[in-house]
Amino acid sequence: GAVVSQHPSRVICKSGTSVKIECRSLDFQATTMFWYRQFPKQSLMLMATSNEGSKATYEQGVEKDKFLINHASLTLSTLTVTSAHPEDSSFYICSARDNGVRGYTFGSGTRLTVV
Amino acid sequence: AQTVTQSQPEMSVQEAETVTLSCTYDTSESDYYLFWYKQPPSRQMILVIRQEAYKQQNATENRFSVNFQKAAKSFSLKISDSQLGDAAMYFCAYRSTGNTPLVFGKGTRLSVIA
């Protein structure tokens, strides 16, 4: 079945540094990827929609200069958290449409802790 | 904009019993998709079941079935013969047609009691 590989699974970084999260579709081409953020015991909130070869579309309230999304190929989308602050600590999950019966495949998520 | 409401923050069920999780949604669209996802402690999102709005027949996947009431905009999940491994967070989700994102409800935490 369709698989989305997300790395790293867990990262700790210092305030002010940048962190890159990668999502790679392993056996299908993902023209569109979605990035979600999930706070503890809460639901998934859409941050942005990433389309291959074009600029990402950000949801209202999401700072595009802080959360840089790049979707340069049909199999890879990256989310870079720039100048990270403790309030950016969260669980980030990507999802891609695989055009199969199941429709959407999720990465395994990245737990980001900013200290 | 579409919204998804799960009114039960927590539910519990005895092992081998049946439990129903509620979900309602709001949309002006006539064609869309509905999903139930399971999120265990690992936080991996696992698709439990999906329903196309144009299909009148309720979807079924082994012990999991839905009661889809389009007019009432209701989409409940029934888990039969509950197992310990069913304990997780369950999210109801909506998606429009095309390359659109999933819209999630707030989730229901299901506990299974041995």
Side-chain angles (χ1 to χ4, degrees), chain B residues 75-95:
Chain B
F75 183 62
S76 61
L77 173 69
K78 185 172 81 172
I79 305 174
S80 304
D81 186 24
S82 298
Q83 300 175 1
L84 295 176
D86 294 334
M89 196 73 168
Y90 285 82
F91 292 101
C92 179
Y94 172 103
R95 180 175 77 81

Side-chain angles (χ1 to χ4, degrees), chain A:
Chain A
V3 176
V4 172
S5 176
Q6 183 172 347
H7 293 281
S9 58
R10 194 180 288 254
V11 60
I12 301 173
C13 71
K14 292 184 178 180
S15 290
T17 61
S18 296
V19 173
K20 179 183 285 188
I21 302 170
E22 290 190 352
C23 270
R24 195 179 296 272
S25 56
L26 298 185
D27 49 4
F28 67 99
Q29 294 183 333
T31 56
T32 303
M33 279 202 184
F34 304 100
W35 288 92
Y36 294 86
R37 182 173 182 176
Q38 185 180 30
F39 289 107
K41 298 185 179 182
Q42 293 190 23
S43 187
L44 283 74
M45 298 300 297
L46 180 68
M47 298 176 65
T49 300
S50 161
N51 292 298
E52 186 269 335
S54 64
K55 290 184 178 180
T57 303
Y58 291 82
E59 295 300 298
Q60 190 173 8
V62 178
E63 299 176 59
K64 57 184 177 183
D65 293 332
K66 180 168 191 58
F67 299 98
L68 299 179
I69 291 174
N70 184 283
H71 195 158
S73 77
L74 287 171
T75 59
L76 177 65
S77 178
T78 61
L79 166 67
T80 302
V81 183
T82 63
S83 187
H85 290 281
E87 56 264 32
D88 298 326
S89 298
S90 189
F91 191 69
Y92 295 87
I93 312 176
C94 64
S95 173
R97 187 178 179 186
D98 60 30
N99 292 321
V101 176
R102 305 184 83 75
Y104 285 71
T105 300
F106 284 83
S108 54
T110 297
R111 184 186 302 276
L112 170 64
T113 303
V114 184
V115 298

